Amino acid sequence: MRSKIVTADEAIALIRDGDTLASTGFVQTGFAEALLSALERRFLDTGSPKNLTLFAAAGQGDGKALGLNHLGHAGLLRRVVAGHWGRMPKVGQLALGNRIQAYNLPQGIICQLFRDLAAGKPGSFSKVGLHTFVDPRYDGGRVNAATTRDIVSLVEVAGEEWLFYKVGSVNVAFVRGTTADTFGNISMEREALTLNNLAMAMAAKNSNGIVIAQVERIAERSGLPPRQIKIPGILVDCVVVAEPAQHMQTLATQYNAAYAGEFRVPQASLVSTPLTERKIIARRAAFELPPNGIINLGVGMPEGVATVAKEERISHLLTLTVESGLIGGIPSTGGDFGTGVNMDAVIDENQQFDFYDGGGLDMACLGMAECDAAGNVNVSRFGGRLTGAGGFINISQNARLVVFVGTFTGNGLRVEVDDGKLRIVEEGRQRKFLKQVGQITFNGQYAYDRDKPVYYVTERCVFRRVRGGLALIEVAPGIDVDRDILPNMDFAPIVGEYGEMDARIFNANPMGLEAELLNLSLPERVIYDPERNILFLNFEGMHVRVVEDVQAIWDICELRCRAAGKRVGVIINYDRFRINQDMYDAYAEMDRYFLANYFSQITRYATSAFLRAKLGEAFSARSIAPHVFERREEAQAFLAGRGGDSSGPT
């Protein structure tokens, strides 16, 4: 049998003009640098292979010269279908200059296309991308005027809209592993991620193409444990042993055994970070964290939420995930982004997106470059830059709760916190809240139509997507709406009743988030007054996120009612109360149970007209009397009219 162990130049010589190349990698991790540089070298020396199509899910490179930037030469590429463009600016310049055909598709879609191509399917059906720039009613994912062919189509199945993604076969796959035996079986024991390597190899092999693997060492045939084989040798045509400098675990780290899961690292000592605008934003976003939830934090500013969680000692209540395939543990930042330590599991990238697209995320915290009056967000193309959506569309469209984070203005913003108040020292020169975003990466109306709660958190205020657009719901202490917010926006948000951002955010001391998330203060919020036979429920500022929150309320109320020994009247304070959409049924069932067994009457009050209307609608729809008053006195008077006594302080 011909040996599969060849040099990089020998392997690259097999690539023909016009081939479609699929390349593995995730940001600065796991791409085949030796193969990509050899491909560039052959093209510059011979002018061949030319007119290639590049097929890449995640960004791959250092954003300068490495990774996919090796392919940024006129004539080498004819067409590029990529999920993220920001790591390959040399290729991006070809697209912006109309010198290649270029598409930007959701990263998760491309990951799943590899698997569908391997299975001989014509493409992929998905709702991911509906009503974004990927939708053919908008741009169809096309990047420039040179790109005229549609590869995304809108179809209807069983009365519902779907997108169908069609991309052709794969002729060459660049995959990567740690060890290969002489037959080409490949293990990945020192790799931080498994990515789409297996699916890509299958897609190429079943397209009658070739698979070229980059590894760091060779073993004798049958010298590797079969359970450790990630890419079977039957799929591999060539194996190239790379020099260590071209086979780093990440571009920032030659090798870290913890990234490979060889051991669990001890928890680092907590070092509190300064109260900057980034930390203020991360602290406010952390209030939305669902206890025991599965969460995705985007790159950049959202990473700060993990730091806040560590400072607040609530990391054990969360499961953080990364679209690269990590589940649990501590995600890495900076040049190691995509890797992590102390993980519970590492799965293939396409499997992670299956989980995300099916609604597996309880919360996503993502950045925002631009936002408009409809709550649309742009992170893919702005300021003359072609960044690409990456996994943003998959994640933001399907997570149960979405929190976008970013400074209110950019490019030069400076703030100070003094005595618990925020002060704008110097306003940023770049506006982020525009009349209309340059490109729709997230569609606010589509999210609202599907009852998805969406928040937009800045250092000075918080917005929520409501009926009619973006509503101001919180303002930082020290901030004046007419001075610091409205003049720095290109549109007028909905401004009605709004609250103040939690004062704890603007104090350097710990915020006590564990008690907040677990509702540990419930015993202090549920008080029985035996003289008037009234149970007072102070739910001010509470957030009912999951069914365990409803159960906690249920348990403490039942305990108080049993102690009373008779039916009680109930007054509930719902100021700044929030309940997730999918918890209304469980909450209403609790109300029905207590009305049947313990309560003589429930009256509720909330100063927010929006919340009164929302609660009233929810209770009416579930056949519960919708008595929600504006003031406590009105609620007490109503209860007194039904036989209760409203005298005395509450």
Side-chain angles (χ1 to χ4, degrees), residues 30-317:
F31 56 82
E33 174 66 14
L35 303 182
L36 292 167
S37 61
L39 176 54
E40 177 186 40
R41 184 167 59 248
R42 179 188 166 195
F43 175 78
L44 293 178
D45 289 346
T46 70
S48 183
K50 59 181 181 292
N51 295 327
L52 300 182
T53 291
L54 173 64
F55 199 13
Q60 302 166 29
D62 63 345
K64 298 176 183 177
L66 302 180
L68 294 178
N69 289 291
H70 288 296
L71 309 186
H73 298 285
L76 195 162
L77 295 172
R78 178 180 66 89
R79 186 172 71 145
V80 175
V81 181
H84 194 273
W85 289 75
R87 308 305 303 181
M88 52 177 185
K90 289 188 176 181
V91 178
Q93 287 303 311
L94 295 177
L96 292 173
N98 270 316
R99 305 182 74 181
I100 58 173
Q101 299 171 28
Y103 299 87
N104 181 203
L105 300 186
Q107 179 181 331
I109 293 296
I110 297 179
C111 294
Q112 292 152 350
L113 274 168
F114 289 137
R115 189 180 55 213
D116 288 339
L117 293 175
K121 298 177 182 179
S124 297
F125 284 94
S126 180
K127 289 182 179 291
V128 171
L130 282 170
H131 304 289
T132 71
F133 73 90
V134 179
D135 191 314
R137 291 169 292 191
Y138 295 75
D139 300 325
R142 296 186 299 274
V143 169
N144 58 21
T147 309
T148 58
R149 177 187 165 206
D150 283 326
I151 61 174
V152 186
S153 55
L154 180 70
V155 297
E156 185 175 300
V157 180
E160 294 186 355
E161 290 183 344
W162 293 75
L163 295 180
F164 178 67
Y165 294 87
K166 179 177 176 58
V167 178
S169 59
V170 173
N171 306 119
V172 182
F174 283 177
V175 299
R176 174 174 150 152
T178 300
T179 309
D181 68 14
T182 54
F183 182 65
N185 293 305
I186 296 172
S187 62
M188 303 182 72
E189 64 271 21
R190 285 167 59 89
E191 296 293 307
L193 305 167
T194 58
L195 301 176
N196 298 299
N197 285 286
L198 177 59
M200 287 170 48
M202 286 185 173
K205 183 56 64 175
N206 287 350
S207 299
N208 295 317
I210 61 172
V211 176
I212 305 174
Q214 173 181 312
V215 299
E216 60 178 280
R217 57 196 183 190
I218 301 296
E220 185 54 71
R221 182 171 182 178
S222 303
L224 297 173
R227 294 293 293 272
Q228 289 188 14
I229 301 300
K230 298 297 184 183
I231 308 174
I234 59 171
L235 304 177
V236 177
D237 297 284
C238 300
V239 175
V240 174
V241 179
E243 295 294 328
Q246 293 187 315
H247 201 92
M248 297 176 67
Q249 196 177 41
T250 79
L251 290 183
T253 303
Q254 183 65 50
Y255 181 69
N256 183 333
Y259 291 170
E262 290 187 22
F263 70 99
R264 298 180 72 84
V265 302
Q267 292 289 339
S269 300
L270 288 174
V271 179
S272 182
T273 56
L275 201 55
T276 63
E277 65 274 12
R278 296 175 71 91
K279 185 169 184 178
I280 290 169
I281 293 168
R283 283 185 137 202
R284 174 57 186 86
F287 275 85
E288 304 301 328
L289 290 169
N292 303 312
I294 302 169
I295 299 156
N296 175 279
L297 300 178
V299 66
M301 195 170 294
E303 297 172 8
V305 178
T307 302
V308 171
K310 281 189 274 187
E311 289 184 3
E312 295 290 326
R313 303 183 187 277
I314 58 171
S315 296
H316 64 287
L317 300 175

